Amino acid sequence: MTEKKAGEETPSGGSRRPSAKTTKRGAKAKKADVKRDISHDLIPIAEETWLLQPIAVTMMRHDYSQVQVRILVSIVESLQNILQGMLNGGTSRQLDIFRSDELDEDGRMPIKMPFKELGVSPSHYPQLRNSLKMLASIPVEIPYKTQEGRKYTKATNLCDVYIPEDNSYSKYAILKIDRTVAERLVSFDFGYHRLGKQIVFACKNRYTQRIYMFIASWLDKGKAVIDPLEFRKMLRLEKNYKKFPDFCRRVLDPARSELQKLAEDGFCDCWFDYDRLYLHGQRGGEPDKLVFTIHRAGGPLTDQLAELTDAQRRYVGDMLVRHFAFNGEDAARLAARITPETYQAAVQKLMDLLERFKTMAVKDRAAYTYRAMDELIRSRETVEAEAEEVRAAGGLFIIGTERHESRRIDNQLRGRAGRQGDPGASRFYLSLEDDLMRLFGGDRVSSLMDTLKIDEDTPIENRMITNTLESAQKKLEGRNFEIRKNVLKYDDVMNQQREIIYGQRRKVLDGEDISTEMHKMLRENIDSSCAQFLSGDVKDEWDFGALRRHYQGWLTTDADFHYTVADFDNLSQQGIADMLYDRGMQILQAKEVRYGAPVMRELERICLLKCVDRQWMDHIDNMDQLRQGIALRGYGQKDPVVEYRIEGFDMFDQMVDSIRESSVKMLLTIELRAAGSAPKREQVAKPTGEGFVPGNGAPGVKGSPKGQPVRVVKIGRNDPCPCGSGLKFKKCTCAQYHPTGNNGGEE
């Protein structure tokens, strides 16, 4: 056996092992422990290097090794200038994140990573190189949105690693990070927290490192509640330690002990305790929630946090004086109200105000800023005061009067009580007449109550009922998922058609020259019509009359297509199509000469847009009607979705043909009225009614004045006749007012 020499220390602080080889004795000889020569030079909190770390980095779900976590923290450290610039308003959040002189020829940001700064001894540099190579292969998915609004997921790697092969330059590596990855690494969308670099380096267990990064983000709250499965996913332990006691013994307990020991010795800022939360009354096994109670280390850290708060207040005061026209006293008075909880929101508010002032004129910038900051601080103080009252009262108590079909909704209600570690409770009441109970197991429970003669108002609490409800919710969620999936299949058909139509409209709206497209549409329409009406080899069967009537008024007249049998020898389908196309092009050329090229280009766009919009709306209605009855095809052993897709695209082709023909027809027949000319109006309704006198200016009567309004004068039976005879109208027989020879109705 190897003997350990007392008093001989390694650079890492542990005992050094001699180089003598150990010899296994027997079949059951214990394997020698492998000593990882990774140094952990502990640095007190007072000398700690604190970093700004976005929470998005903390929650990255990759199986990082211990060394890779250190590399990740070092990458965050190299981005500190950018992070500080974003908080200080000196750097744009997205577009100007890097300076041009920081990028390489491929637009990536290079970071020089010395090996000695990663806490790895030179004898383990080969291990470090392998960790770097594996780090470069980690996939990263980044949400991406184009300028047109389309959403994508960009799949790339975390970084590219360049390791010099020359031994003289083997003490460092170069990491090149893509711009999109770096923007994700410095994203403040989910907030950020202080991270101790050397604390991460001091943790000997990789799970301790990652658990520390998790609890450090919840340090201000003092408590964190997380789902065990979610916590396992964060640590990439979904398939390991399936028994929860094993998970506690191998992961949670060692991490708690290590962090507590580091905190007691003054090398860590926090440690934790954990508890199991069972929501359904069971005990043992996998809990429903893990509750972390986070303890803040005292001593030098308290003073350091106070100094940090003072520094934050001084920074806010400097910003108020430098950018918002505050005097020193007012700035100091407002900055004194800043707390660590409101610091981030205050700085973000000031950055937003700076951006707003670039485009908005403000007479008194200081007063405007004071009102905005005062409102922000007051709201935070009010919320915090009310939150303390709620916590003192025991927290929020949620009472549910039913269970939702989706478990997610119920869990959201439960999460309101005890949000972010606050105290609270929830309780749900369910009737046997609710849909869930009525459809899934309510009859059995009701019969059981009748058998046991239990009163209707007596509550029943049983794990079996809870399991029955959860099973019913799973079935309904699966059913609703299939419904949504089926709806999406139908919507995919419309999406494909919608992209084609909107793409065509976008080209027109962008002002592109579509004259060539209109000429092509004219040619295609004529060829299609000629193929329809002039089909077959026997020319006697060609329907010239239908072709003439089809293009009547815009390409043909009554004198066209009157052929004799002798003319058939010189006729061909292609020749007739060419004749019609040449006629249409002559009309278009004449209009272009008459109106000018710019006006014709605008007319082409107007005609196409009007026809596309009208035909597309009709097509949407037709597709809706088709969808309402397409499900009946299933009774004929046909897939309704397939049938909908086939008939939908047939209808789409018909719509395209209609757009083509209507657009060309409108372009050929449209005429422009000269500016200032009044439209010609014609009277289409004839005046009728009692007292109408034919021939007195009435339209259609010879001798009536043109363009005069028709006045209808009602003459009473006993009134004098207007002819001047002196007789009553009913007694007079003048030809002027009694053209039929009657006497007004008197016998």
Side-chain angles (χ1 to χ4, degrees), residues 670-689:
I670 192 170
E671 296 291 341
L672 297 180
R673 189 175 67 244
S677 61
K680 185 178 180 182
R681 302 182 183 272
E682 297 181 357
Q683 184 176 355
V684 295
K686 295 181 179 180
T688 58

Side-chain angles (χ1 to χ4, degrees), residues 394-424:
L396 182 65
F397 189 84
I398 301 294
I399 299 178
T401 57
E402 62 178 349
R403 292 286 292 272
H404 200 269
E405 293 181 356
S406 175
R407 291 171 295 170
R408 178 178 60 86
I409 304 299
D410 291 342
N411 291 332
Q412 286 179 347
L413 289 175
R414 294 190 184 101
R416 298 295 176 183
R419 194 171 182 88
Q420 297 182 347
D422 291 338

Side-chain angles (χ1 to χ4, degrees), residues 247-358:
F247 180 74
C248 296
R249 180 171 54 86
R250 301 295 296 272
V251 178
L252 290 177
D253 293 340
R256 178 181 59 181
S257 301
E258 186 173 5
L259 289 179
Q260 186 176 0
K261 182 67 167 61
L262 290 173
E264 292 174 354
D265 295 339
F267 303 116
C268 185
D269 61 335
C270 62
W271 58 281
F272 70 95
D273 283 324
Y274 69 92
D275 196 7
R276 306 167 180 85
L277 180 62
Y278 297 93
L279 301 177
H280 304 293
Q282 78 275 19
R283 290 293 181 268
E286 186 90 2
D288 296 301
K289 298 290 182 180
L290 272 175
V291 182
F292 288 90
T293 303
I294 305 169
H295 305 282
R296 189 187 297 271
L301 182 63
T302 305
D303 300 334
Q304 191 178 22
L305 291 176
E307 294 177 0
L308 178 64
T309 303
D310 293 338
Q312 292 173 344
R313 291 170 177 171
R314 288 195 300 270
Y315 171 72
V316 173
D318 293 340
M319 285 191 67
L320 294 173
V321 173
R322 191 167 58 251
H323 301 291
F324 299 96
F326 273 67
N327 57 47
E329 295 181 359
D330 294 339
R333 193 179 300 110
L334 182 59
R337 300 168 60 187
I338 300 297
T339 62
E341 290 76 18
T342 60
Y343 172 72
Q344 179 183 354
V347 173
Q348 188 64 49
K349 186 67 175 180
L350 293 177
M351 292 170 57
D352 295 339
L353 290 175
L354 279 177
E355 293 293 329
R356 188 182 305 176
F357 290 157
K358 293 179 181 179

Side-chain angles (χ1 to χ4, degrees), residues 75 132 135-138 157-161 175-178 181:
I75 293 175
L132 285 167
L135 188 70
S137 63
I138 292 177
N157 59 332
L158 182 63
C159 61
D160 294 334
V161 179
L175 280 66
K176 292 188 176 182
I177 303 176
D178 188 77
V181 177

Side-chain angles (χ1 to χ4, degrees), residues 52-115:
L52 273 177
Q53 177 179 339
I55 296 179
V57 180
T58 305
M59 299 301 176
M60 279 188 168
R61 291 168 172 81
H62 297 291
D63 193 14
Y64 295 122
S65 65
Q66 182 183 3
V67 178
Q68 288 173 345
V69 172
R70 297 185 177 186
I71 297 172
L72 182 63
V73 173
S74 300
I75 293 175
V76 174
E77 183 182 17
S78 63
L79 299 174
Q80 287 300 296
N81 293 332
I82 299 174
L83 290 166
Q84 295 290 348
M86 290 171 58
L87 285 180
N88 299 342
T91 308
S92 176
R93 278 174 277 201
Q94 293 186 359
L95 299 179
D96 299 330
I97 190 169
F98 302 132
R99 296 190 300 271
S100 58
D101 56 352
E102 293 179 340
L103 305 180
D104 65 352
E105 63 277 2
D106 297 325
R108 296 171 299 180
M109 181 180 181
I111 299 175
K112 189 174 181 179
M113 190 73 63
F115 290 171

Side-chain angles (χ1 to χ4, degrees), residues 1 23-32:
M1 295 293 293
T23 306
K24 295 183 180 180
R25 299 180 183 270
K28 296 184 179 180
K30 189 176 180 180
K31 188 176 181 180

Side-chain angles (χ1 to χ4, degrees), residues 58-61 210 214 225-238 247 286-290 292:
T58 305
M59 299 301 176
M60 279 188 168
R61 291 168 172 81
R210 303 176 71 176
F214 169 72
V225 183
I226 189 171
D227 186 86
L229 180 59
E230 188 73 13
F231 191 68
R232 287 175 178 270
K233 289 181 179 179
M234 189 182 71
L235 300 177
R236 297 297 294 236
L237 293 175
E238 303 98 316
F247 180 74
E286 186 90 2
D288 296 301
K289 298 290 182 180
L290 272 175
F292 288 90

